[in-house]
Amino acid sequence: MQRVFVLSPERTPLSPCRPARARWLLTHQQAAVFRRYPFTIILKHAPLDTVVPLLRVKIDPGSKTTGMAVVNDATGQVVWAAELEHRGQHVKKNLDDRRAHRRSRRSRHTRYRQPRFDNRCRPDGWLPPSLESRLSNVLTWVARLRRYAPIAAISQELIKFDTQLMEHPDINGAEYQQGTLAGYEVREYLLEQFSRTCAYCGKHDVPLEIEHIVPKSRGGSNRVSNLTLACEPCNQTKGNRTAQEFGHPEVQAQAKAPLKDAAAVNATRWALARRLQALGLPVETGSGGRTKWNRVQRDIPKTHWLDAACVGVSTPGVLRWQQTIPLLIKAAGWQRRQMCLVDTYGFPRTKAKEASQVFDFKTGDIVKAIVPSGKPQGTHTGRVAIKASGNFTITTKQRAVPDVPYRYCRRVHRADGYAYQKGAGAFLPIP
Ligand SMILES: [Zn+2]
């Protein structure tokens, strides 16, 4: 079983305990629930023996999901594990939407505003917001774990995810991050990506030219994802057509496929390592090859959280993971900055948003409601969506229950920007 985090009355992290022990402490009024996710209890009296094991938090950063594990190096016990799902593409889509609305607004005849120039500088170490959000998620969870468990060290995988990167050490994070590679690197990269052949007729051992999949004259960009290699005859024949119109839609997919996820992981991995080092704990970094070797040696199946548990040289010889149930965490964001919703043309569609808190409840809180009578009669536990009227909607495991009066609701977990997968990790009945 996943261990339960334990805090002293002064909120110092103590040795995590088994669920049975936590249940005993709770039913005998020796402890209280401090936090639902991750499940943490706080003791009511200072314990006599305070031998605290030193734990290690291990991270396997991924572009969509990051695996996390808290491991006791001395015993090999996986104390706690989680899979953290990011919202990178979601962030990007929101920003793209906003950009589109602003652009259309500018081309309308509205009040004249002096143009602003030279206000577009980016600080050193700037990352695109979608990547920054992945990084913040990991750092948030490392900080939380340090509050609830005696963490003494960190392990992080510095991923080697594809052979191209190993064959092209020149392609470093910054270039991936921008999505463009300059001059020589572009050519070398494309030669590798299209196996030194013409993308359209498959000929090799002929002079190849760099070719735009969507022609520049029709708005195609210079990004690597829009470039391919073609022999001179194919390039001439294709002319001003896109690859799709030329009868080769697969070229487009091939050019785009490897970069998207690769770019995300690559640009974030070094930044994450730097920021973890700034926390002041010893940080061990391991390669993807080492993780896989550790995992195969110990005959462990591949999941994100088990990969995390296998990161680095420090991995114990015997890893005790069989009883662990990972907590599934999904980054949900806090709320929008957008003041009202807009229609297709960027005009306001709804009235301005109202207070985000109603009777001390906030959308995203996990609540338990015991309703004695009326339509929503019964006991409902789940995520709440608030309404100014005080009649909330609770989304339980089975269904959405509308019109639950706020006075029957009791908050179980305050909204913290993350959603938690049902069941996993929440193994204690809600008291
Ligand atoms: Zn050709």
Side-chain angles (χ1 to χ4, degrees):
M1 266 299 193
Q2 191 107 305
R3 296 292 197 269
V4 173
F5 294 134
V6 183
L7 296 179
S8 77
E10 294 79 37
R11 299 192 182 184
T12 350
L14 301 173
S15 175
C17 70
R18 285 168 190 277
R21 169 104 184 123
R23 209 173 292 126
W24 188 90
L25 289 168
L26 288 171
T27 48
H28 290 78
Q29 313 293 321
Q30 301 290 304
V33 176
F34 184 75
R35 196 188 162 88
R36 184 71 41 181
Y37 302 103
F39 200 80
T40 308
I41 60 172
I42 184 163
L43 299 181
K44 295 197 172 171
H45 311 287
L48 298 175
D49 59 327
T50 47
V51 186
V52 174
L54 296 182
L55 305 177
R56 174 184 289 276
V57 59
K58 309 182 87 171
I59 305 159
D60 172 21
S63 70
K64 291 197 181 71
T65 307
T66 289
M68 303 185 86
V70 176
V71 176
N72 185 334
D73 283 345
T75 62
Q77 177 69 45
V78 179
V79 173
W80 184 86
E83 295 196 347
L84 175 54
E85 195 182 316
H86 300 293
R87 58 196 291 270
Q89 284 309 306
H90 196 78
V91 171
K92 183 175 183 328
K93 194 193 159 293
N94 282 351
L95 291 173
D96 284 347
D97 285 354
R98 186 182 72 181
R99 187 179 304 120
H101 291 318
R102 286 184 173 172
R103 184 137 303 284
S104 73
R105 213 183 296 148
R106 279 190 205 112
S107 61
R108 263 179 252 143
H109 290 291
T110 50
R111 284 175 303 242
Y112 183 70
R113 191 199 76 200
Q114 289 289 326
R116 288 187 294 221
F117 296 108
D118 198 22
N119 62 347
R120 296 291 187 272
C121 64
R122 281 165 175 167
D124 280 349
W126 178 89
L127 286 172
S130 56
L131 305 193
E132 191 66 48
S133 111
R134 291 181 175 103
L135 225 68
S136 307
N137 283 337
V138 175
L139 290 170
T140 296
W141 275 92
V142 170
R144 282 185 187 175
L145 290 172
R146 285 183 74 189
R147 282 204 291 278
Y148 310 130
I151 304 289
I154 302 175
S155 296
Q156 185 214 341
E157 181 180 301
L158 280 178
I159 301 165
K160 279 193 189 130
F161 50 89
D162 68 9
T163 50
Q164 280 165 356
L165 189 77
M166 285 182 250
E167 285 157 18
H168 295 272
D170 291 340
I171 305 172
N172 66 30
E175 281 160 326
Y176 255 108
Q177 171 198 324
Q178 301 303 333
T180 62
L181 314 169
Y184 174 81
E185 274 100 355
V186 171
R187 201 176 164 76
E188 282 304 296
Y189 181 83
L190 290 174
L191 283 171
E192 203 61 38
Q193 192 174 26
F194 293 95
S195 335
R196 296 175 190 273
T197 58
C198 170
Y200 300 110
C201 67
K203 242 182 240 167
H204 48 89
D205 296 329
V206 289
L208 294 169
E209 299 173 355
I210 292 183
E211 208 271 332
H212 289 81
I213 295 172
V214 176
K216 286 214 75 174
S217 60
R218 298 181 51 187
S221 74
N222 275 328
R223 294 170 70 102
V224 171
S225 57
N226 190 40
L227 295 179
T228 182
L229 290 172
C231 64
E232 214 247 340
C234 285
N235 201 353
Q236 290 294 327
T237 323
K238 178 171 172 280
N240 198 27
R241 287 180 283 179
T242 66
Q244 179 133 25
E245 292 163 359
F246 192 47
H248 290 274
E250 81 284 357
V251 173
Q252 188 109 40
Q254 196 187 348
K256 271 197 175 144
L259 266 175
K260 214 171 184 183
D261 282 359
V265 175
N266 244 338
T268 1
R269 57 187 197 159
W270 291 103
L272 179 61
R274 276 195 298 276
R275 294 193 203 177
L276 287 175
Q277 266 148 12
L279 294 178
L281 292 178
V283 177
E284 170 198 49
T285 54
S287 69
R290 158 73 69 176
T291 304
K292 189 174 179 189
W293 189 78
N294 281 344
R295 188 164 53 73
V296 172
Q297 287 288 306
R298 290 162 183 75
D299 200 18
I300 297 175
K302 178 167 174 59
T303 61
H304 290 291
W305 65 275
L306 282 171
D307 260 350
C310 292
V311 166
V313 191
S314 67
T315 309
V318 177
L319 210 52
R320 295 195 288 165
W321 58 273
Q322 286 85 350
Q323 303 288 310
T324 309
I325 304 164
L327 177 64
L328 305 180
I329 307 165
K330 190 173 176 187
W334 287 86
Q335 56 187 23
R336 296 154 163 265
R337 286 185 63 188
Q338 199 170 2
M339 286 309 291
C340 69
L341 300 178
V342 293
D343 62 16
T344 335
Y345 307 103
F347 286 99
R349 185 167 66 79
T350 57
K351 59 179 179 177
K353 63 182 173 189
E354 297 183 31
S356 62
Q357 289 210 341
V358 174
F359 302 111
D360 199 31
F361 289 99
K362 194 174 177 180
T363 295
D365 284 351
I366 296 169
V367 301
K368 182 180 185 184
I370 303 171
V371 187
S373 61
K375 211 174 175 196
Q377 186 180 8
T379 303
H380 316 288
T381 308
R383 183 180 186 277
V384 74
I386 60 159
K387 262 189 200 170
S389 65
N391 294 324
F392 300 161
T393 302
I394 299 178
T395 309
T396 65
K397 280 179 198 171
Q398 292 82 27
R399 64 193 180 102
V401 185
D403 298 329
V404 179
Y406 77 93
R407 59 185 179 279
Y408 299 127
C409 296
R410 199 174 60 77
R411 182 168 46 234
V412 169
H413 186 82
R414 193 180 282 275
D416 60 356
Y418 294 91
Y420 302 93
Q421 187 65 248
K422 56 182 181 180
F427 38 79
L428 283 161
I430 292 162

